[in-house]
Amino acid sequence: RSNTAQPTSGSVLDPTTGEPIPGLDLVALGALQAEGIDPKYKQNTSHPITGTLKAQYFFSPDLVGYVTFDRAYRVGAANLNIQGSLPNDFAELDSESARSAEIGLKGNFMEQRGRFAVAIFDQIYSNYQQDIQNIPVYDPFAGRAANINTFVANAKEAEILGVESEVNYLILDNWDVGVSLTYNDAKFNDFKNNPCQGSITLTAAHPYNVCDLSNKSLPLAPKWAGVITSNFSLPAFDGADWYFNALINFRSDQVDKVTRNTLGGYGTTDLFTGLRAADKGPWDVSLWVKNVFDKRAVTRIFNSTTTNPDLQALFPGETFSMVSTNLPRQIGATGTYRF
């Protein structure tokens, strides 16, 4: 049972002073609801049944197979709308449910110096809750298109089908390595009403544009991702060990959330070295370099002035894109003591 409240007030600011203009109250003018949301969406009650059913079988002491079925649930609610321009079609967010199945094997090998796991999984979401960002909508109070920063919309169905695997091996008593690899086919099975940046002029009768994303990839979901680890240590002096660890991450291309442009895949390498108390003692001092080769990649693209009416007003005649990137090379030191 959810109860949603968003008490709202709003004023028009004088552009020269930045102060509210007396008498121009947006609630009194009917541009905003005093409740912030339609009262009929303030309460939501549901009775979901969720749970897990799992069976496993030991083929031998070093090999086990399993199968798992799950059902999960996420509550819906009113879409909180601070800007006051969210179209009525998205005023309420429906509850999301998911059903999934996984089958896998886990085991040891080479006299238990090695360990592996492999799994195939399929997860189907109904009323998938997808956050939407930087979309132009028609603002009835302003009488023009306005950019709405963020809200959530339901895709009728989304699915993630994939395989994940992991192998770890103890090469020496003081050196272990690990490799994991995942393949994901994540897509919208049915998302015909996806609000987007379209070419049709927005009006009160047509307050937003839609793009059919059915059978298209989910945003920010690379098909391939992997991790390689290496952990090596040697006795340094009485009561302390020296260690050198490496971590390599990589991911393939993915689709941007707003523009649906392709974001290139990339990989990073992190290195760690230091001294720590032997036998998992209480202290650890390390030097580290993250993103050793300073690999830079765009991880998000937002809007350009050609599609965002608010930015068009601020920067007339200019065209640029706002992006987020991964972190650059970082060098640092960390000390830890556990009492």
Side-chain angles (χ1 to χ4, degrees):
R1 181 180 302 162
S2 65
N3 295 287
T4 308
Q6 186 190 6
T8 301
S9 62
S11 302
V12 178
L13 301 183
D14 187 325
T16 59
T17 65
E19 299 296 326
I21 300 176
L24 291 183
D25 181 277
L26 295 179
V27 173
L29 292 172
L32 295 175
Q33 295 190 53
E35 298 87 358
I37 55 176
D38 193 314
K40 66 182 179 181
Y41 300 132
K42 294 182 70 172
Q43 293 186 339
N44 183 295
T45 301
S46 55
H47 304 87
I49 297 176
T50 64
T52 298
L53 177 64
K54 182 173 183 177
Q56 62 183 18
Y57 180 79
F58 282 87
F59 298 97
S60 74
D62 289 323
L63 182 64
V64 61
Y66 68 91
V67 59
T68 302
F69 298 95
D70 297 281
R71 181 173 176 82
Y73 173 84
R74 182 158 56 176
V75 70
N79 247 323
L80 300 185
N81 180 23
I82 295 175
Q83 292 174 257
S85 55
L86 183 69
N88 290 333
D89 294 351
F90 303 103
E92 185 177 30
L93 181 66
D94 292 332
S95 299
E96 173 189 289
S97 63
R99 58 191 186 276
S100 63
E102 179 176 326
I103 182 170
L105 284 172
K106 297 180 180 181
N108 302 319
F109 60 95
M110 298 291 289
E111 298 180 345
Q112 299 189 345
R113 296 183 72 89
R115 179 173 295 172
F116 79 92
V118 61
I120 301 173
F121 57 89
D122 186 21
Q123 189 163 17
I124 298 177
Y125 297 85
S126 298
N127 292 324
Y128 181 79
Q129 296 176 1
Q130 174 65 57
D131 60 308
I132 310 294
Q133 297 179 356
N134 297 330
I135 297 298
V137 299
Y138 184 77
D139 187 337
F141 179 73
R144 62 173 178 84
N147 192 65
I148 190 166
N149 293 332
T150 182
F151 65 100
V152 184
N154 288 112
K156 186 174 181 180
E157 186 175 280
E159 182 175 9
I160 301 176
L161 175 65
V163 180
E164 56 185 9
S165 59
E166 180 179 359
V167 177
N168 293 279
Y169 188 73
L170 187 65
I171 299 176
L172 301 171
D173 289 347
N174 57 340
W175 185 18
D176 66 85
V177 296
V179 178
S180 64
L181 183 65
T182 300
Y183 171 79
N184 279 312
D185 183 16
K187 64 181 181 179
F188 296 109
N189 286 341
D190 188 345
F191 197 7
K192 296 183 176 63
N193 65 330
N194 169 60
C196 65
Q197 302 178 36
S199 58
I200 300 177
T201 301
L202 301 182
T203 63
H206 185 85
Y208 60 93
N209 287 308
V210 297
C211 306
D212 187 357
L213 292 186
S214 302
N215 298 314
K216 302 293 185 180
S217 297
L218 264 66
L220 307 181
K223 285 189 177 296
W224 292 97
V227 177
I228 300 174
T229 62
S230 173
N231 304 293
F232 179 81
S233 65
L234 284 174
F237 51 84
D238 187 30
D241 292 337
W242 167 78
Y243 63 90
F244 180 81
N245 299 337
L247 172 65
I248 301 173
N249 288 278
F250 59 91
R251 64 189 66 190
S252 65
D253 295 350
Q254 54 189 330
V255 176
D256 181 61
K257 183 182 295 185
V258 175
T259 64
R260 299 291 300 177
N261 290 344
T262 298
L263 304 175
Y266 67 97
T268 59
T269 300
D270 302 340
L271 301 177
F272 307 80
T273 187
L275 294 171
R276 63 190 173 206
D279 300 323
K280 299 181 180 180
W283 61 270
D284 185 326
V285 178
S286 67
L287 300 175
W288 45 263
V289 183
K290 297 182 179 180
N291 194 1
V292 174
F293 302 106
D294 200 25
K295 175 63 179 178
R296 304 306 305 274
V298 174
T299 59
R300 289 292 311 278
I301 305 175
F302 296 90
N303 278 338
S304 75
T305 54
T306 58
T307 57
N308 185 323
D310 291 338
L311 291 179
Q312 284 178 341
L314 291 173
F315 306 101
E318 296 187 33
T319 300
F320 64 92
S321 291
M322 298 181 290
V323 302
S324 293
T325 67
N326 67 318
L327 293 173
R329 181 190 297 118
Q330 303 171 75
I331 301 174
T334 300
T336 301
Y337 188 87
R338 296 185 297 276
F339 296 93

